[in-house]
Amino acid sequence: MSESYKITLKPVYSQTVPTPDGVQIPKDWSLSWHQAATLEALRNPNIDVIFNTAMTGDGKSLAGYLDILQRHSPVLGLYPTNELARDQEKQIRGYIEKFQPEHKPRVNRLSGQELEIYAEEENLKKGVALETRAGQSEILLTNPDIFHYLHYGAYLLYKDNPDKLWNRIDKRFNVILFDEFHVFKAPQIASVINTMLLIRRTNRRKKFLFLSATPNTQLIERLKLADFRCHEINPLKENKYHFPDTLTESKHLKTSDWRKVVGEISLHFFGLESTPKASETWLKDNAALILDHLQKYPGSKGAIILNSIAAVKRLKDFFTPFFQPYNFTVEENTGLSGKKTKEESLDADLVLGTSTIDVGVDFKINFLFFESADAGNFIQRLGRLGRHDGYERDGQQINFTNFTAYALVPEFLVKRLFEKDEKDEAPLLKSGEVYERPFFHDQIRDKYRKINDFTGYYFKWGVVQSMRLVRQLGHPNIKQQYAAGSQEALKKDCEIVFSTDKRKASLKAAFVRSKEWEEKWHELSRTDKGNPILEEAVSFRGKSPLLCGIYDTTEKNEVDKFKTYDLPGILSNLEIEPMKGTEFERLRQATAERTDTTIPKGRFKNCLGFMKLLRYREERLDWKFTYPGDLKPFADTWDVQVLLGIQVWQPANYWISEINKQLKKQALVSYLLPFPLERVRQQGRLPMHFQIYPISDQYSVLDNTPPYCIAFGQSALLLDTLTHWFKSKGDEIWITPC
């Protein structure tokens, strides 16, 4: 472990403004500059797209819903995770209670799972359920996945017109809001752009509002190419933030027109080796440090945010008995946590998780330990600390006296920030110094490992999504309705937006490619149905061909025991017991009847297999994919293709043969590279959780390091766009962006 360093981050204050004429807000409230500016932009007929880049914790959510709290102006709010949508629903209901608008907007939330539950309970088809739910809402909170599939003709019956749902729903909502959009990658961004283009050419103009502290430059550039009238609201650029140096200055700001966004933070850096369990080991070794925070500052609440769900589960088992003699409680908050588990976590002294949804919002904290995957992830997680001065417990106000964070980061980042570089130039940061957040954030963005943004995706695959939408407008049942240039206008927009400097994007060429994929698949599968590559290209987050159904015996709440998990994560981290699909379904039905709760079965429909989760492994188990023949002919194509026959090699696993029986029949959209996994990860600058795996063939199955690596589904498309060609020479690989 490298030397630790400590800096102090100044508090942040946001400027408030006089309440605009005609706007009603609760007594003793005031609007931040960016909130008033967002309201003004939403009401400006000369603006189509608004980007609010206010800092985390500065009230961007209120900015998005302020207009509907004043008048009838329905909002479709799109959130990247169901947990975030659930959190925002609670927050919006709180706004309505405080603002008391006369028109009393109805708020509903709809995820894929909730859509299925609603459809089952009301005995409706999904499309009808979706339309009914939208019609009952002035504020509908859902995810971009549903928004995407809605416009691509999902949830329809065979004889329905392609625009039956999206035409009506698009008309209903005046504002379409995207929150935390920075978490999405190229496929999702391309999808949103395509859908915005469709809405503009088939409906009256809508307002699109993006709320993100780190706006996506690719999105903005593409929208401007399509002549969307974009407007950015940037409080930092407009000097609407202040960073006081002294306590006296802070007190003065509080009595002036400034509101505190976050308090002063003491930030410690610990550089760790890039090994799978480095942070987990460090936290166990330094458990006394966490205990000291809880004992030294009574009423403290802390969080540990890690990248691995398995690490969180193992650490919860470690910290629970460690803290028990001192009467401190530990809970978890992960993407796999059930609703009841999340609610229980709010009362804990320490929460461990991979999710930041509740942390710093409902779960108010004054100390934080966190890992990060990249610069944006670092800034977002650190932003959960310092947002509240305290909390209420049993009718008593508990006040925080300080905020402390521990960043568990790779050694290279610590060296780049605090140590002299190769040119012997002075370090960017000095231990013990005080810095303003914008400057500090810039250093993190500049010195963290750069992650590939897959720019080539827009040009090669974004246009495939466009082709599907444009052809949809040519459907015989609606062709006349959109005959007044809508289809041709959409086609031109798409070809402009997804063109490169060197060539114009062609929807015709995309159609020809899709027919080639279809022909090859029909030849391989000996059927005349389906087109896996096209289906993957027009999906939102990918098809998850390796998803398994899990009955989680470690989960306390019965209803939350039924989950899905990707096979690679199971092979690495879980101890499981195989189940028959019929046994899993019988358990699901029995639990639903006993608890009188709907447990939707649709998400388990295409699972590769079913299993009981017994416990999380202490050590990751090695494994790799295998192919029974020669992989070289497939690698030599340098193209996305559909493969059959892939299996898993894991000799220590007694149940792997059962999975392989199903896996080898699975049609996998794949991209294969003739290089070891780690070389491609490093030189391709792939994100930490990018889904790419080692694979061997019949000639290399016993090699310690498989000579090939493979990506599936949407990751295969991304990898394809990253590499226009690969060329090896000696120990080098050149990767040329498309």
Side-chain angles (χ1 to χ4, degrees), residues 223-240:
L223 292 178
K224 287 181 176 178
L225 280 174
D227 289 330
F228 277 100
R229 297 169 295 179
C230 300
H231 179 69
E232 185 177 352
I233 295 170
N234 187 332
L236 181 62
K237 190 182 291 184
E238 299 296 330
N239 296 316
K240 303 302 180 183

Side-chain angles (χ1 to χ4, degrees), residues 497-716:
V497 169
F498 296 113
S499 65
T500 68
D501 294 335
K502 297 177 182 178
R503 64 181 185 274
K504 180 182 177 182
S506 169
L507 270 67
K508 183 178 180 180
F511 177 71
V512 171
R513 285 164 56 206
S514 72
K515 297 306 290 183
E516 291 173 352
W517 300 327
E518 186 177 54
E519 290 169 6
K520 288 180 180 178
W521 166 242
H522 291 173
E523 182 181 342
L524 177 67
S525 63
R526 297 178 183 176
T527 69
D528 58 355
K529 295 180 180 179
N531 188 342
I533 295 178
L534 178 63
E535 291 162 13
E536 195 67 53
V538 300
S539 69
F540 190 75
R541 300 196 213 209
K543 293 290 187 179
S544 300
L546 302 177
L547 213 59
C548 297
I550 291 286
Y551 179 74
D552 186 355
T553 64
T554 70
E555 174 66 57
K556 290 182 287 187
N557 186 25
E558 279 194 277
V559 172
D560 293 327
K561 288 179 181 288
F562 300 89
K563 304 171 180 178
T564 56
Y565 212 114
D566 262 330
L567 179 62
I570 295 171
L571 296 170
S572 298
N573 299 308
L574 308 188
E575 288 189 25
I576 68 99
E577 180 181 293
M579 296 177 70
K580 296 289 186 183
T582 51
E583 182 188 359
F584 185 90
E585 174 58 18
R586 181 185 58 77
L587 265 175
R588 186 198 65 80
Q589 284 185 324
T591 304
E593 290 171 5
R594 187 171 59 255
T595 60
D596 194 24
T597 305
T598 303
I599 305 174
K601 62 181 179 180
R603 60 185 168 140
F604 305 112
K605 183 179 178 182
N606 297 312
C607 282
L608 182 65
F610 297 90
M611 48 202 77
K612 286 182 181 178
L613 167 56
L614 305 178
R615 64 188 65 84
Y616 287 79
R617 296 184 183 278
E618 281 299 318
E619 298 291 337
R620 290 169 64 91
L621 200 60
D622 286 340
W623 64 275
K624 60 188 174 185
F625 285 112
T626 63
Y627 183 74
D630 185 1
L631 283 175
K632 188 176 186 304
F634 300 109
D636 287 345
T637 65
W638 304 101
D639 203 0
V640 175
Q641 56 203 305
V642 181
L643 297 181
L644 291 168
I646 289 175
Q647 299 180 54
V648 168
W649 187 85
Q650 193 177 43
N653 199 330
Y654 74 94
W655 51 263
I656 202 64
S657 61
E658 291 300 311
I659 280 291
N660 279 334
K661 288 177 185 177
Q662 298 301 317
L663 180 59
K664 67 184 179 182
K665 295 184 285 187
Q666 198 86 343
L668 300 175
V669 175
S670 310
Y671 194 91
L672 184 70
L673 287 173
F675 304 113
L677 174 62
E678 289 309 314
R679 291 175 67 184
V680 174
R681 274 199 173 280
Q682 182 180 357
Q683 304 224 3
R685 296 186 286 113
L686 301 182
M688 176 180 290
H689 297 297
F690 190 85
Q691 294 174 321
I692 183 170
Y693 310 103
I695 184 169
S696 297
D697 61 8
Q698 64 179 1
Y699 304 110
S700 57
V701 68
L702 297 179
D703 291 2
N704 289 331
T705 302
Y708 299 93
C709 60
I710 193 167
F712 302 115
Q714 200 171 82
S715 294

Side-chain angles (χ1 to χ4, degrees), residues 340-354:
K340 189 173 181 180
T341 304
K342 286 180 180 291
E343 291 171 352
E344 290 173 347
S345 73
L346 300 180
D347 296 323
D349 299 297
L350 179 70
V351 161
L352 295 95
T354 54

Side-chain angles (χ1 to χ4, degrees), residues 115-135:
L115 176 60
E116 187 174 345
I117 292 173
Y118 182 67
E120 285 185 19
E121 290 176 345
E122 301 296 327
N123 196 26
L124 300 171
K125 296 293 184 182
K126 279 190 179 181
V128 178
L130 177 56
E131 186 177 10
T132 302
R133 199 67 159 173

